[in-house]
PDB file of all heavy atoms in Angstrom:
ATOM      1  N   LEU A 278    -120.288  50.603 195.089  1.00  0.00           N
ATOM      2  CA  LEU A 278    -120.753  51.307 193.887  1.00  0.00           C
ATOM      3  C   LEU A 278    -120.363  50.547 192.628  1.00  0.00           C
ATOM      4  O   LEU A 278    -120.820  50.852 191.532  1.00  0.00           O
ATOM      5  CB  LEU A 278    -120.173  52.732 193.833  1.00  0.00           C
ATOM      6  CG  LEU A 278    -120.620  53.674 194.947  1.00  0.00           C
ATOM      7  CD1 LEU A 278    -120.165  55.094 194.658  1.00  0.00           C
ATOM      8  CD2 LEU A 278    -122.124  53.645 195.173  1.00  0.00           C
ATOM      9  N   HIS A 279    -119.493  49.543 192.798  1.00  0.00           N
ATOM     10  CA  HIS A 279    -119.025  48.756 191.639  1.00  0.00           C
ATOM     11  C   HIS A 279    -119.504  47.316 191.866  1.00  0.00           C
ATOM     12  O   HIS A 279    -120.686  47.089 192.110  1.00  0.00           O
ATOM     13  CB  HIS A 279    -117.500  48.910 191.570  1.00  0.00           C
ATOM     14  CG  HIS A 279    -116.849  48.453 190.307  1.00  0.00           C
ATOM     15  ND1 HIS A 279    -117.528  48.104 189.165  1.00  0.00           N
ATOM     16  CD2 HIS A 279    -115.524  48.282 189.997  1.00  0.00           C
ATOM     17  CE1 HIS A 279    -116.670  47.758 188.215  1.00  0.00           C
ATOM     18  NE2 HIS A 279    -115.436  47.841 188.702  1.00  0.00           N
ATOM     19  N   LYS A 310    -132.121  61.258 198.801  1.00  0.00           N
ATOM     20  CA  LYS A 310    -130.653  61.163 198.808  1.00  0.00           C
ATOM     21  C   LYS A 310    -130.093  60.660 200.140  1.00  0.00           C
ATOM     22  O   LYS A 310    -128.936  60.917 200.455  1.00  0.00           O
ATOM     23  CB  LYS A 310    -129.986  62.531 198.467  1.00  0.00           C
ATOM     24  CG  LYS A 310    -130.599  63.280 197.318  1.00  0.00           C
ATOM     25  CD  LYS A 310    -130.166  62.689 196.003  1.00  0.00           C
ATOM     26  CE  LYS A 310    -130.667  63.541 194.847  1.00  0.00           C
ATOM     27  NZ  LYS A 310    -130.688  62.823 193.593  1.00  0.00           N
ATOM     28  N   ARG A 313    -128.474  55.291 198.228  1.00  0.00           N
ATOM     29  CA  ARG A 313    -128.804  54.882 196.857  1.00  0.00           C
ATOM     30  C   ARG A 313    -129.465  53.518 196.857  1.00  0.00           C
ATOM     31  O   ARG A 313    -129.109  52.662 197.673  1.00  0.00           O
ATOM     32  CB  ARG A 313    -127.545  54.851 196.018  1.00  0.00           C
ATOM     33  CG  ARG A 313    -127.029  56.253 195.828  1.00  0.00           C
ATOM     34  CD  ARG A 313    -125.988  56.356 194.784  1.00  0.00           C
ATOM     35  NE  ARG A 313    -125.857  57.775 194.466  1.00  0.00           N
ATOM     36  CZ  ARG A 313    -125.216  58.251 193.431  1.00  0.00           C
ATOM     37  NH1 ARG A 313    -124.638  57.425 192.583  1.00  0.00           N
ATOM     38  NH2 ARG A 313    -125.146  59.533 193.205  1.00  0.00           N
ATOM     39  N   LEU A 314    -130.370  53.347 195.961  1.00  0.00           N
ATOM     40  CA  LEU A 314    -130.960  52.015 195.793  1.00  0.00           C
ATOM     41  C   LEU A 314    -129.925  51.151 195.099  1.00  0.00           C
ATOM     42  O   LEU A 314    -129.541  51.424 193.948  1.00  0.00           O
ATOM     43  CB  LEU A 314    -132.214  52.077 194.925  1.00  0.00           C
ATOM     44  CG  LEU A 314    -133.519  52.498 195.580  1.00  0.00           C
ATOM     45  CD1 LEU A 314    -134.662  52.289 194.598  1.00  0.00           C
ATOM     46  CD2 LEU A 314    -133.799  51.780 196.884  1.00  0.00           C
ATOM     47  N   GLY A 316    -128.108  48.350 193.039  1.00  0.00           N
ATOM     48  CA  GLY A 316    -128.543  47.559 191.890  1.00  0.00           C
ATOM     49  C   GLY A 316    -129.336  48.384 190.885  1.00  0.00           C
ATOM     50  O   GLY A 316    -129.912  47.816 189.951  1.00  0.00           O
ATOM     51  N   PHE A 317    -129.324  49.711 191.059  1.00  0.00           N
ATOM     52  CA  PHE A 317    -130.018  50.578 190.092  1.00  0.00           C
ATOM     53  C   PHE A 317    -129.051  51.653 189.607  1.00  0.00           C
ATOM     54  O   PHE A 317    -128.238  52.158 190.378  1.00  0.00           O
ATOM     55  CB  PHE A 317    -131.246  51.243 190.726  1.00  0.00           C
ATOM     56  CG  PHE A 317    -132.350  50.261 190.996  1.00  0.00           C
ATOM     57  CD1 PHE A 317    -132.381  49.568 192.201  1.00  0.00           C
ATOM     58  CD2 PHE A 317    -133.322  50.005 190.039  1.00  0.00           C
ATOM     59  CE1 PHE A 317    -133.376  48.636 192.456  1.00  0.00           C
ATOM     60  CE2 PHE A 317    -134.317  49.068 190.286  1.00  0.00           C
ATOM     61  CZ  PHE A 317    -134.350  48.387 191.496  1.00  0.00           C
ATOM     62  N   ALA A 320    -123.277  54.108 185.131  1.00  0.00           N
ATOM     63  CA  ALA A 320    -122.587  55.276 184.582  1.00  0.00           C
ATOM     64  C   ALA A 320    -122.730  55.367 183.059  1.00  0.00           C
ATOM     65  O   ALA A 320    -122.783  56.465 182.501  1.00  0.00           O
ATOM     66  CB  ALA A 320    -121.110  55.225 184.964  1.00  0.00           C
ATOM     67  N   LYS A 323    -127.890  54.357 179.895  1.00  0.00           N
ATOM     68  CA  LYS A 323    -129.002  55.238 180.183  1.00  0.00           C
ATOM     69  C   LYS A 323    -130.278  54.650 179.578  1.00  0.00           C
ATOM     70  O   LYS A 323    -131.280  55.315 179.391  1.00  0.00           O
ATOM     71  CB  LYS A 323    -128.716  56.658 179.660  1.00  0.00           C
ATOM     72  CG  LYS A 323    -127.449  57.259 180.302  1.00  0.00           C
ATOM     73  CD  LYS A 323    -127.472  57.240 181.850  1.00  0.00           C
ATOM     74  CE  LYS A 323    -126.134  57.624 182.468  1.00  0.00           C
ATOM     75  NZ  LYS A 323    -126.025  57.343 183.921  1.00  0.00           N
ATOM     76  N   TYR A 365    -138.908  59.939 189.397  1.00  0.00           N
ATOM     77  CA  TYR A 365    -137.522  60.238 189.818  1.00  0.00           C
ATOM     78  C   TYR A 365    -136.544  59.359 189.044  1.00  0.00           C
ATOM     79  O   TYR A 365    -135.550  59.836 188.498  1.00  0.00           O
ATOM     80  CB  TYR A 365    -137.366  60.003 191.327  1.00  0.00           C
ATOM     81  CG  TYR A 365    -135.925  60.099 191.830  1.00  0.00           C
ATOM     82  CD1 TYR A 365    -135.428  61.288 192.365  1.00  0.00           C
ATOM     83  CD2 TYR A 365    -135.058  58.996 191.776  1.00  0.00           C
ATOM     84  CE1 TYR A 365    -134.109  61.374 192.824  1.00  0.00           C
ATOM     85  CE2 TYR A 365    -133.751  59.077 192.226  1.00  0.00           C
ATOM     86  CZ  TYR A 365    -133.285  60.261 192.747  1.00  0.00           C
ATOM     87  OH  TYR A 365    -131.984  60.329 193.191  1.00  0.00           O
ATOM     88  N   ARG A 369    -134.082  60.294 185.545  1.00  0.00           N
ATOM     89  CA  ARG A 369    -132.620  60.101 185.659  1.00  0.00           C
ATOM     90  C   ARG A 369    -132.131  58.859 184.919  1.00  0.00           C
ATOM     91  O   ARG A 369    -130.972  58.497 184.998  1.00  0.00           O
ATOM     92  CB  ARG A 369    -132.221  60.025 187.142  1.00  0.00           C
ATOM     93  CG  ARG A 369    -132.317  61.368 187.850  1.00  0.00           C
ATOM     94  CD  ARG A 369    -132.242  61.233 189.354  1.00  0.00           C
ATOM     95  NE  ARG A 369    -132.372  62.530 189.996  1.00  0.00           N
ATOM     96  CZ  ARG A 369    -133.513  63.207 190.121  1.00  0.00           C
ATOM     97  NH1 ARG A 369    -134.645  62.708 189.641  1.00  0.00           N
ATOM     98  NH2 ARG A 369    -133.539  64.389 190.727  1.00  0.00           N
ATOM     99  N   LEU A 371    -132.617  55.693 185.470  1.00  0.00           N
ATOM    100  CA  LEU A 371    -132.057  54.703 186.402  1.00  0.00           C
ATOM    101  C   LEU A 371    -132.845  53.395 186.276  1.00  0.00           C
ATOM    102  O   LEU A 371    -134.002  53.316 186.678  1.00  0.00           O
ATOM    103  CB  LEU A 371    -132.138  55.227 187.846  1.00  0.00           C
ATOM    104  CG  LEU A 371    -131.373  56.529 188.114  1.00  0.00           C
ATOM    105  CD1 LEU A 371    -131.704  57.077 189.504  1.00  0.00           C
ATOM    106  CD2 LEU A 371    -129.877  56.300 187.986  1.00  0.00           C
ATOM    107  N   ASN A 374    -129.585  47.363 187.221  1.00  0.00           N
ATOM    108  CA  ASN A 374    -128.349  46.998 186.523  1.00  0.00           C
ATOM    109  C   ASN A 374    -128.032  45.516 186.746  1.00  0.00           C
ATOM    110  O   ASN A 374    -128.778  44.802 187.425  1.00  0.00           O
ATOM    111  CB  ASN A 374    -127.188  47.911 186.938  1.00  0.00           C
ATOM    112  CG  ASN A 374    -126.922  47.860 188.436  1.00  0.00           C
ATOM    113  OD1 ASN A 374    -126.890  46.780 189.031  1.00  0.00           O
ATOM    114  ND2 ASN A 374    -126.735  49.018 189.048  1.00  0.00           N
ATOM    115  N   ASP A 376    -126.078  43.943 188.633  1.00  0.00           N
ATOM    116  CA  ASP A 376    -125.914  43.449 190.008  1.00  0.00           C
ATOM    117  C   ASP A 376    -127.249  43.215 190.707  1.00  0.00           C
ATOM    118  O   ASP A 376    -127.318  42.438 191.649  1.00  0.00           O
ATOM    119  CB  ASP A 376    -125.055  44.421 190.818  1.00  0.00           C
ATOM    120  CG  ASP A 376    -123.610  44.371 190.379  1.00  0.00           C
ATOM    121  OD1 ASP A 376    -123.133  43.273 190.092  1.00  0.00           O
ATOM    122  OD2 ASP A 376    -122.970  45.434 190.307  1.00  0.00           O
TER     123      ASP A 376
HETATM  124  N1  CMC B  10    -130.479  55.327 193.673  1.00  0.00           N
HETATM  125  C1  CMC B  10    -130.983  56.578 193.761  1.00  0.00           C
HETATM  126  N2  CMC B  10    -130.542  57.616 193.030  1.00  0.00           N
HETATM  127  C2  CMC B  10    -129.543  57.381 192.171  1.00  0.00           C
HETATM  128  C3  CMC B  10    -128.969  56.121 192.018  1.00  0.00           C
HETATM  129  C4  CMC B  10    -129.481  55.052 192.807  1.00  0.00           C
HETATM  130  N3  CMC B  10    -128.975  53.820 192.701  1.00  0.00           N
HETATM  131  N4  CMC B  10    -127.978  56.177 191.095  1.00  0.00           N
HETATM  132  C5  CMC B  10    -127.934  57.452 190.691  1.00  0.00           C
HETATM  133  N5  CMC B  10    -128.863  58.184 191.337  1.00  0.00           N
HETATM  134  C6  CMC B  10    -129.182  59.598 191.121  1.00  0.00           C
HETATM  135  C7  CMC B  10    -128.138  60.506 191.743  1.00  0.00           C
HETATM  136  O1  CMC B  10    -128.472  60.833 193.075  1.00  0.00           O
HETATM  137  C8  CMC B  10    -128.191  61.689 190.819  1.00  0.00           C
HETATM  138  O2  CMC B  10    -129.346  62.441 191.127  1.00  0.00           O
HETATM  139  P1  CMC B  10    -129.349  64.057 190.926  1.00  0.00           P
HETATM  140  O3  CMC B  10    -129.240  64.272 189.460  1.00  0.00           O
HETATM  141  O4  CMC B  10    -130.659  64.475 191.503  1.00  0.00           O
HETATM  142  O5  CMC B  10    -128.168  64.575 191.700  1.00  0.00           O
HETATM  143  C9  CMC B  10    -128.425  61.064 189.443  1.00  0.00           C
HETATM  144  O6  CMC B  10    -129.100  59.821 189.709  1.00  0.00           O
HETATM  145  C10 CMC B  10    -127.153  60.780 188.670  1.00  0.00           C
HETATM  146  O7  CMC B  10    -126.233  60.156 189.572  1.00  0.00           O
HETATM  147  P2  CMC B  10    -124.678  59.996 189.267  1.00  0.00           P
HETATM  148  O8  CMC B  10    -123.970  59.697 190.545  1.00  0.00           O
HETATM  149  O9  CMC B  10    -124.207  61.143 188.460  1.00  0.00           O
HETATM  150  O10 CMC B  10    -124.711  58.713 188.360  1.00  0.00           O
HETATM  151  P3  CMC B  10    -123.481  57.904 187.857  1.00  0.00           P
HETATM  152  O11 CMC B  10    -123.873  57.470 186.500  1.00  0.00           O
HETATM  153  O12 CMC B  10    -122.192  58.610 188.019  1.00  0.00           O
HETATM  154  O13 CMC B  10    -123.432  56.663 188.878  1.00  0.00           O
HETATM  155  C11 CMC B  10    -123.644  54.481 189.747  1.00  0.00           C
HETATM  156  C12 CMC B  10    -123.517  55.347 188.483  1.00  0.00           C
HETATM  157  C13 CMC B  10    -123.694  53.040 189.293  1.00  0.00           C
HETATM  158  C14 CMC B  10    -122.396  54.676 190.622  1.00  0.00           C
HETATM  159  C15 CMC B  10    -124.907  54.892 190.521  1.00  0.00           C
HETATM  160  O14 CMC B  10    -126.046  54.750 189.698  1.00  0.00           O
HETATM  161  C16 CMC B  10    -125.071  54.107 191.805  1.00  0.00           C
HETATM  162  O15 CMC B  10    -124.507  54.504 192.830  1.00  0.00           O
HETATM  163  N6  CMC B  10    -125.842  52.958 191.771  1.00  0.00           N
HETATM  164  C17 CMC B  10    -125.972  52.106 192.939  1.00  0.00           C
HETATM  165  C18 CMC B  10    -124.763  51.178 193.047  1.00  0.00           C
HETATM  166  C19 CMC B  10    -124.796  50.106 192.002  1.00  0.00           C
HETATM  167  O16 CMC B  10    -125.796  49.449 191.771  1.00  0.00           O
HETATM  168  N7  CMC B  10    -123.613  49.896 191.368  1.00  0.00           N
HETATM  169  C20 CMC B  10    -123.441  48.827 190.364  1.00  0.00           C
HETATM  170  C21 CMC B  10    -123.223  49.382 188.993  1.00  0.00           C
HETATM  171  S1  CMC B  10    -123.348  48.092 187.719  1.00  0.00           S
HETATM  172  C22 CMC B  10    -121.964  47.078 187.990  1.00  0.00           C
HETATM  173  C23 CMC B  10    -120.687  47.706 187.635  1.00  0.00           C
HETATM  174  O17 CMC B  10    -120.364  47.775 186.457  1.00  0.00           O
HETATM  175  O18 CMC B  10    -119.971  48.145 188.563  1.00  0.00           O
END
Side-chain angles (χ1 to χ4, degrees):
L278 295 189
H279 193 10
K310 316 283 186 200
R313 292 193 165 193
L314 279 188
F317 290 88
K323 300 306 171 192
Y365 172 95
R369 288 167 181 75
L371 300 171
N374 59 45
D376 289 321

